[in-house]
Amino acid sequence: MSRPFENIAFISSTTEETVLVRQKLAHRFGSVPPDEADVIVALGGDGLMLQTLHRHMNSTIPIYGMNCGSIGFLMNEYGEDGLIERLENAELSEIRPLHMSATTSDGKIHEALAINEISVFRQTAQAAKLEIQIDDKVRMEELICDGALVATPTGSTAYNLSAHGPILPIDSPLLALTPISPFRPRHWRGALLANSAKVKLVVKEPNKRPLSAVADHTEIRSVLEVEIREDTENSCIIMFDPEHGWAERILTEQFRY
Amino acid sequence: MSRPFENIAFISSTTEETVLVRQKLAHRFGSVPPDEADVIVALGGDGLMLQTLHRHMNSTIPIYGMNCGSIGFLMNEYGEDGLIERLENAELSEIRPLHMSATTSDGKIHEALAINEISVFRQTAQAAKLEIQIDDKVRMEELICDGALVATPTGSTAYNLSAHGPILPIDSPLLALTPISPFRPRHWRGALLANSAKVKLVVKEPNKRPLSAVADHTEIRSVLEVEIREDTENSCIIMFDPEHGWAERILTEQFRY
Amino acid sequence: MSRPFENIAFISSTTEETVLVRQKLAHRFGSVPPDEADVIVALGGDGLMLQTLHRHMNSTIPIYGMNCGSIGFLMNEYGEDGLIERLENAELSEIRPLHMSATTSDGKIHEALAINEISVFRQTAQAAKLEIQIDDKVRMEELICDGALVATPTGSTAYNLSAHGPILPIDSPLLALTPISPFRPRHWRGALLANSAKVKLVVKEPNKRPLSAVADHTEIRSVLEVEIREDTENSCIIMFDPEHGWAERILTEQFRY
Amino acid sequence: MSRPFENIAFISSTTEETVLVRQKLAHRFGSVPPDEADVIVALGGDGLMLQTLHRHMNSTIPIYGMNCGSIGFLMNEYGEDGLIERLENAELSEIRPLHMSATTSDGKIHEALAINEISVFRQTAQAAKLEIQIDDKVRMEELICDGALVATPTGSTAYNLSAHGPILPIDSPLLALTPISPFRPRHWRGALLANSAKVKLVVKEPNKRPLSAVADHTEIRSVLEVEIREDTENSCIIMFDPEHGWAERILTEQFRY
């Protein structure tokens, strides 16, 4: 295999420690700006990784994370030696994000992408009331809750798991629709949907019960309705060391307890 | 039995409908200001009832709710006829609230009472990290979550139920400690504690991960730690029609699905 | 479309009512023995349907169920008129069963197929201890429980649902591995696996803790280990009225509560 | 404090190891038959302890368990030295068992006691159908399930926990009614009942769907109905080292995950 990664961009989170790590690696391997790179090496945790994936969406530049500090589900193990070989041997996974189209009370439509999940959550102490439509058909007339979320397989181990949703195998063509602290129906556990499904969450009594919508870290406040579906036009590429690839990570996660 | 309720105070929520109901009842039965009353009749829903119980804490004036509109767990059925007899025959239940003592980052201590529950919840997208102490002993070193709550039996059918906590019989000497969207430990389901227990929730990394504490509807933002225990000095009195008393309501609720 | 269904075999469960229904329909539409039929119409409930699918596995004869009595998840609505048109318009779904290979303490290997699920369950009051392997790798060293099951999407709404497993979309390439009354790890919720996965359940202390394995209704007692995987050689064909096809049924089921 | 325990009965389970331990302790401290003893020291695990508590019900002889082998929730730590002092310092807890009255299809009534739980479970592949009465009032007309159980606080960490029931503080005046693999209502989570409650489980379609009832280890097959309540006449006494008493064990258990 020919050397594919001549130009590496090292980026890091802003903590003193990771900045030092970045400087050391840049000195050793050379570093170019991200838009001139063949590969981006992200040094930090899952937060930085999500940010980087969003920033380089559709750039076709693959992103290789190395974990500095707390354990990162999206990151590879930290190590300086043999980095070039690790990059060459890494497995590439394409990630399709979710697309959110949120209508606010001023009539505007806000679009955003999410790699992990799109969630809605009450802005005040008033519980949320949601109507849930799947492919333009009302499936639940009223869910009283703190909120609800739609997660990708990638995101199924994140907020979705906390909200008692199931972990999805990484290559399963599914989305998880999961209620957050449901009050009525009281024991509804959510649904697994085909990844071709279009989910619409309609906010009831939006003045009395304002909701915000969040696509990964993009928050839109006072939404009236939110449309969510898998984005078929955008994608980004994440790299994992073989033997610790994504399928393996998810499987390991499912047997944790 | 001698007539105990000569002076009734009718109060209501502010919707046009309940105001009209209040005026009608006041005209028919007479109405005095709450602090001159033998009994307060509250017209509205559970929100008004909670508010009224808080306002007249320790006044020894019993409070009888009549439901106007959506179903109220703390309310009796609406009806004008025979109201005096219903008041005379009602069962009185004493409610001991929870006491919250919340320390904020400016060093101040804020106290508040709660009839339903005391909860903490993340203020930003950053997950909360909590240390949990029971009776001054650390029982969980780190709960990563959206938040956590302590509920009374009265409140066990409210937010606690949404957060997947158990419904408690009304006269059980227990408190429910329930995590809200727990992330690590991922499947921790909370604990049932003796009502003599003192719960302390210590916020970890409070600058990065700010939390607010809420006692029923009183919110204190950016708390450092929150101490919660049953209040043994304060109480209020709620009235229920016999045959639809509180024990029966809770039992019915447990067999709903 | 040419008339595909000239020869119908009507079969029924043994209750007096369904036998009468079968006789009436056979009289009206004619009936042939199942092995001469173009289509089998099964009159009864899900139990009969499962039995019929098993009996005609690999026969390529499609099976159309009509519900007599209690609601059947695998059945179409009962109706005599227009039956030929309904058969012609029905959607055909191919079902791949699970294959079980169970080794017993006498050294024999027992094979069976399952359309819904393969489960193991303790035979005595002694809890089961299971080692779980996925694709020949130990993923859980010891699960103490009443038992465990592997369900297909078809079976995900049956025993799997009672054991708190998730409902799977009908065409998702997944299997659900779900513990039954798990004791240690106490809150393990099971795993969603790719349908290419091979699951092996190894019984620990089989003399003290005997287990039986059940593939749909075939029970093998005192098993030492059970291997489960999707069967790629066998299949059967089930028919549903359009608009009430399987995808719709599963989706409806997910929004029930 | 005067020496209360002059005569000790050492008993053990039948494994070679515990028999040797028993002989060693009997040689060192002397041993009398249980009915002449001031205290019984039981050497083994929770199974032996339950058996011993049942055997000496109402004898007023306290029972002190020492754990040999796997961890025992009802047992103290194993140790030979200072045994007399440990017995003298141990805390005594009185246990009230549950009383089962099970009617079988031959018209007989079978009575048994349970320290942990009384459960009913299907005898065949046919799901159970139960009607649930509390204090002679029907609270659930039909629960379709594998079975159901009523657990004491002592038993709440045993089978009840596996069936997803809550752990109860040891001195809470409660019983846990918990469904086992419920099918309809599908997400019913059971109920916490006052310990004065009388639970009656009525078996529907008992010929088609036979059920057995189990009080700890006593099994009665083919029951028609089962009445369960706390026994107010019988009791037994269990001993725990201070600092590792029962309240502490339950609290620790609640914070395990």
Side-chain angles (χ1 to χ4, degrees), chain A residues 121-122 125 144 146 157-159 161-164 167 180-184 186-188 217 253-254 256-257, chain B residues 121-122 125 146 157-159 161-164 167 180-184 186-188 217 253-254 256-257:
Chain A
F121 206 89
R122 59 179 171 77
I144 309 180
D146 271 5
T157 57
Y159 197 10
L161 183 62
S162 298
H164 306 271
I167 299 178
I180 303 172
S181 300
F183 188 61
R184 290 279 184 274
R186 50 159 62 199
H187 294 319
W188 184 55
H217 298 309
E253 195 69 14
Q254 291 193 318
R256 286 182 60 170
Y257 42 88
Chain B
F121 205 90
R122 59 178 170 78
D146 271 5
T157 57
Y159 197 10
L161 183 61
S162 298
H164 306 271
I167 300 178
I180 304 172
S181 300
F183 187 61
R184 291 278 186 276
R186 50 161 61 199
H187 293 321
W188 184 55
H217 298 309
E253 196 70 14
Q254 291 194 317
R256 287 183 59 171
Y257 42 87

Side-chain angles (χ1 to χ4, degrees), chain C residues 139-195:
Chain C
R139 291 290 176 171
M140 186 168 285
E141 295 199 357
E142 185 169 293
L143 171 67
I144 308 179
C145 57
D146 272 5
L149 62 85
V150 175
T152 61
T154 309
S156 68
T157 57
Y159 197 9
N160 171 67
L161 183 62
S162 299
H164 305 271
I167 299 178
L168 304 179
I170 196 61
D171 47 5
S172 57
L174 294 177
L175 302 175
L177 167 61
T178 304
I180 304 172
S181 300
F183 187 61
R184 290 278 186 275
R186 50 161 60 199
H187 292 321
W188 183 56
R189 286 161 55 186
L192 291 178
L193 305 172
N195 64 350

Side-chain angles (χ1 to χ4, degrees), chain D:
Chain D
M1 184 181 178
S2 65
R3 170 81 179 286
F5 299 129
E6 302 220 349
N7 301 303
I8 305 176
F10 288 98
I11 62 171
S12 72
S13 53
T14 57
T15 65
E16 200 178 338
E17 188 200 350
T18 54
V19 169
L20 286 174
V21 166
R22 171 167 55 85
Q23 289 170 344
K24 186 165 58 170
L25 291 175
H27 184 260
R28 177 163 172 187
F29 296 101
S31 184
V32 300
D35 53 1
E36 300 170 17
D38 303 319
V39 61
I40 295 172
V41 174
L43 304 159
D46 281 354
L48 176 76
M49 192 63 180
L50 273 185
Q51 217 174 67
T52 309
L53 290 167
H54 276 282
R55 191 165 296 157
H56 299 281
M57 188 73 71
N58 280 338
S59 72
T60 74
I61 307 173
I63 298 166
Y64 182 90
M66 281 210 299
N67 194 33
C68 298
S70 64
I71 291 168
F73 191 74
L74 304 175
M75 310 304 272
N76 298 288
E77 226 172 293
Y78 183 76
E80 296 168 34
D81 296 332
L83 179 58
I84 303 300
E85 289 69 30
R86 287 171 71 187
L87 292 177
E88 285 173 2
N89 293 327
E91 291 171 359
L92 277 63
S93 297
E94 188 184 24
I95 296 179
R96 293 218 162 275
L98 293 173
H99 178 273
M100 169 173 87
S101 176
T103 309
T104 44
S105 46
D106 55 9
K108 287 193 187 146
I109 293 177
H110 306 257
E111 296 187 292
L113 300 181
I115 287 161
N116 270 353
E117 78 272 319
I118 291 168
S119 62
V120 297
F121 205 90
R122 58 179 171 80
Q123 289 174 207
T124 70
Q126 291 287 348
K129 290 190 180 180
L130 296 173
E131 179 191 281
I132 301 176
Q133 299 177 15
I134 309 293
D135 296 330
D136 297 315
K137 184 168 171 184
V138 175
R139 291 290 175 171
M140 187 167 286
E141 295 198 357
E142 186 170 293
L143 172 67
I144 309 179
C145 57
D146 271 6
L149 62 86
V150 175
T152 60
T154 308
S156 69
T157 57
Y159 197 9
N160 171 67
L161 184 61
S162 298
H164 306 272
I167 299 178
L168 304 179
I170 196 60
D171 46 4
S172 58
L174 296 176
L175 302 175
L177 167 61
T178 305
I180 303 172
S181 300
F183 188 61
R184 290 281 186 273
R186 50 159 60 198
H187 293 320
W188 184 55
R189 286 162 54 187
L192 291 178
L193 305 172
N195 64 351
S196 59
K198 187 181 71 182
V199 179
K200 191 190 276 187
L201 304 173
V202 181
V203 181
K204 303 176 85 166
E205 307 172 28
N207 292 324
K208 183 178 176 191
R209 305 171 184 282
L211 252 77
S212 75
V214 180
D216 284 355
H217 298 309
T218 307
E219 183 178 9
I220 311 293
R221 292 180 72 83
S222 300
V223 297
L224 295 183
E225 61 175 56
V226 179
E227 232 184 76
I228 301 164
R229 56 186 158 167
E230 201 182 70
D231 193 304
T232 53
E233 287 165 25
N234 292 291
S235 72
C236 46
I237 297 164
I238 191 167
M239 300 167 75
F240 286 114
D241 293 336
E243 301 299 308
H244 294 85
W246 214 332
E248 173 62 27
R249 277 158 202 255
I250 294 260
L251 198 51
T252 301
E253 196 69 13
Q254 292 193 318
F255 283 90
R256 285 183 61 171
Y257 43 88

Side-chain angles (χ1 to χ4, degrees), chain A residues 73 116-117 149 151-163 167, chain B residues 182-183:
Chain A
F73 192 74
N116 271 353
E117 80 273 318
L149 62 86
T152 61
T154 309
S156 68
T157 57
Y159 197 10
N160 171 65
L161 183 62
S162 298
I167 299 178
Chain B
F183 187 61

Side-chain angles (χ1 to χ4, degrees), chain C residues 44-46 67-73 75, chain D residues 129:
Chain C
D46 282 353
N67 194 33
C68 298
S70 63
I71 291 169
F73 192 74
M75 310 304 274
Chain D
K129 290 190 180 180

